[in-house]
Amino acid sequence: MAFSPEYLAELNLLTQFGSSSTQEGIKVHQHSASEETVKAAERLHQKGLITQQDGGYLTSLGSEAVELTQKLQSILSSQ
């Protein structure tokens, strides 16, 4: 199964979160972010990975997802 554009947008948004601190959040501004990013934030919130519809902080599940996303990114970028 290939990653859908929606999943890729969610993964890209997850990479915006810092993994070193749970106190680092992000804000997705509806007036300046792409529609794809705004919708990705909404989906991540519905899935319980972030605390707010427009970003906020990672939940514990979100922290785990960021860690896994970073590992996958590292594996795919190694030569």
Side-chain angles (χ1 to χ4, degrees):
M1 176 170 112
F3 285 112
S4 69
E6 290 82 15
Y7 285 164
L8 290 174
E10 292 172 16
L11 290 169
N12 284 326
L13 186 56
L14 286 172
T15 64
Q16 302 294 313
F17 284 90
S19 61
S20 60
S21 171
T22 58
Q23 299 302 313
E24 292 181 39
I26 65 167
K27 175 77 171 171
V28 177
H29 297 277
Q30 286 192 342
H31 63 277
S32 59
S34 70
E35 182 179 349
E36 173 184 85
T37 301
V38 170
K39 289 184 179 201
E42 291 171 355
R43 288 190 304 274
L44 290 174
H45 175 66
Q46 290 172 352
K47 294 174 182 179
L49 277 71
I50 57 177
T51 60
Q52 301 292 320
Q53 253 186 302
D54 61 352
Y57 299 96
L58 292 168
T59 64
S60 58
L61 181 60
S63 293
E64 185 177 341
V66 165
E67 183 181 323
L68 293 169
T69 300
Q70 290 173 341
K71 285 180 182 179
L72 179 59
Q73 209 172 22
S74 177
I75 292 167
L76 294 176
S77 65
S78 66
Q79 294 180 0

